[in-house]
Amino acid sequence: MTKDMQDESEIFRGTTTGSTRLRDARSVRGTPKAGMPAFVLGEELADLADSDPRIVVATADLASANRTNDFRDRHPERFVNFSIAEKNMITAAAGMASTGLVPYVATFASFAAILGAEAIRTDCAYPRMKVRVIGSHSGMSMGFYGSSHHALEDLGMLRCMADLTVVCATDANHLRAILRASVDHPEAMYIRLGRGRDPEVYPSVPQVTFGKAARLREGTDLTIITCGSQVRASLDAAEILADEGISVRVVDMFTISEMDRDEIKAAAEETGAILTVEEHNITGGLGSAVTEVLIDLPRCKFRKHGVPDKYVEVGPPAALYAHYRLNAEGVAEIAREFHSA
């Protein structure tokens, strides 16, 4: 066993006392707010609620973890903690929406999307209630909490529901933009977040239109279509490949339902090769959604990259991203293989 393999093995078991190559010191309980730069959820909702009395917020015993306590502190009369009753929370939010309120309900993505899927479909999407279900700590970002707390199936489960808009926030500024655009959006929504430590992609709050992708980098040799936590990794991978003479376009396909077909078509026609990168099961998510568009277009070289169709290892997020080649180096390696194939 090599030294790197030994380090990785010890990290997954939680026994390492040596190398910190795959460790993330922030993967601990009690991380201060300053260490969670992308969790502006409660703060932004409180700002919006200052001038919009329709906005209400609920969570399920996770006000500190998802920072909805920032909303609670400023608008306590419009905040509800449902305790660990996530499905009831989503159904109650539909009732609130039926009275004209605009409820934002937040919990871990595994509980919001997977546990709450039936309530999202039947109580929110079907009657077109303006409920915004917010799933934080998506993908495998819960690390050591294991498969019960990982959400690697949520996009596949929810994107096929009619009258439900599914979007992925990339960083703090992108989350602010999505929340602002969501207030008067006519459909129910699922907003997928990372774990609050997402590195910056958008230096300022962008203008967003649901269903319209953001082309963040031009390229001619291939296009990476990505979303959420993998946008930064894909941009950094494109930088690595540029030094090798490979020109990579990067597209943030943040709306997973009602996808930007024109952007996918442009990628296919102008670069001739598309690689999708996502922190999600390789089956059913972003990559599968892109294939549904490509099937109606002329032949294009294509590959999906994400988490294998199996339950992932248990370990800290940084180790998991490296292990599944979803960090910058891993994405660059996959893209390099794809380009040369």
Side-chain angles (χ1 to χ4, degrees):
M1 180 181 291
T2 68
K3 179 64 166 58
D4 282 350
M5 290 173 63
Q6 179 67 32
D7 287 344
E8 188 168 327
S9 175
E10 290 177 352
I11 289 165
F12 277 123
R13 296 199 309 271
T15 60
T16 182
T17 56
S19 171
T20 60
R21 182 176 65 88
L22 297 179
R23 295 187 67 189
D24 185 341
R26 297 169 300 180
S27 300
V28 295
R29 192 170 183 176
T31 301
K33 182 179 179 181
M36 304 170 70
F39 264 21
V40 296
L41 177 63
E43 176 186 305
E44 182 62 32
L45 288 174
D47 289 345
L48 292 170
D50 285 343
S51 59
D52 193 331
R54 300 173 300 164
I55 293 175
V56 294
V57 172
T59 191
D61 264 358
L62 290 174
S64 295
N66 57 32
R67 302 305 307 179
T68 50
N69 54 8
D70 293 332
F71 182 94
R72 178 200 62 200
D73 293 345
R74 288 169 56 182
H75 299 284
E77 75 286 357
R78 286 193 264 166
F79 177 84
V80 182
N81 179 10
F82 278 82
S83 191
I84 50 172
E86 293 86 358
K87 291 188 285 186
N88 288 347
M89 176 176 69
I90 295 169
T91 297
M96 295 177 194
S98 73
T99 71
L101 297 173
V102 182
Y104 291 78
V105 297
T107 184
F108 292 152
S110 55
F111 305 147
I114 299 172
L115 182 63
E118 195 276 335
I120 292 172
R121 186 199 66 161
T122 305
D123 299 334
C124 301
Y126 174 58
R128 295 179 68 86
M129 292 292 109
K130 291 174 60 175
V131 177
R132 285 76 177 95
V133 178
I134 299 167
S136 69
H137 297 74
S138 61
M140 52 192 176
S141 66
M142 289 294 287
F144 279 119
Y145 286 82
S147 294
S148 64
H149 283 58
H150 295 166
L152 293 162
E153 308 87 0
D154 54 334
L155 297 180
M157 291 175 64
L158 299 185
R159 73 178 183 87
C160 60
M161 293 184 184
D163 299 323
L164 178 70
T165 300
V166 177
V167 297
C168 300
T170 299
D171 66 5
N173 283 326
H174 198 228
L175 174 57
R176 289 188 188 278
I178 287 171
L179 292 174
R180 294 173 191 180
S182 72
V183 176
D184 291 314
H185 185 66
E187 294 184 343
M189 295 186 69
Y190 173 63
I191 302 173
R192 190 188 208 232
L193 310 184
R195 64 189 185 115
R197 301 177 179 89
D198 313 293
E200 182 180 281
V201 171
Y202 295 91
S204 60
V205 179
Q207 291 292 321
V208 300
T209 300
F210 299 132
K212 180 66 175 176
R215 189 183 301 185
L216 301 180
R217 182 187 176 100
E218 291 291 352
T220 57
D221 292 327
L222 67 96
T223 298
I224 294 178
I225 297 179
T226 185
C227 63
S229 67
Q230 291 305 297
V231 176
R232 181 74 266 166
S234 296
L235 286 167
D236 292 345
E239 288 285 347
I240 294 171
L241 295 170
D243 292 338
E244 303 171 15
I246 302 173
S247 177
V248 179
R249 178 181 296 183
V250 178
V251 173
D252 183 358
M253 189 66 67
F254 66 90
T255 310
I256 308 301
S257 60
E258 304 174 27
M259 299 186 76
D260 190 340
R261 299 177 65 90
D262 290 340
E263 188 66 32
I264 297 170
K265 181 179 179 182
E269 293 176 348
E270 296 167 12
T271 69
I274 294 175
L275 171 67
T276 58
V277 178
E278 59 189 311
E279 187 183 347
H280 188 274
N281 190 308
I282 202 68
T283 301
L286 172 66
S288 296
V290 171
T291 64
E292 292 165 12
V293 177
L294 289 176
I295 198 169
D296 295 325
L297 300 176
R299 183 178 177 84
C300 170
K301 187 177 176 182
F302 178 74
R303 179 171 175 177
K304 295 188 293 184
H305 177 51
V307 177
D309 187 20
K310 60 182 181 181
Y311 299 108
V312 303
E313 305 290 340
V314 174
L320 293 174
Y321 296 140
H323 182 70
Y324 291 104
R325 298 200 288 182
L326 288 169
N327 56 2
E329 294 78 11
V331 173
E333 183 179 358
I334 292 290
R336 190 181 298 113
E337 294 172 359
F338 175 59
H339 175 66
S340 62

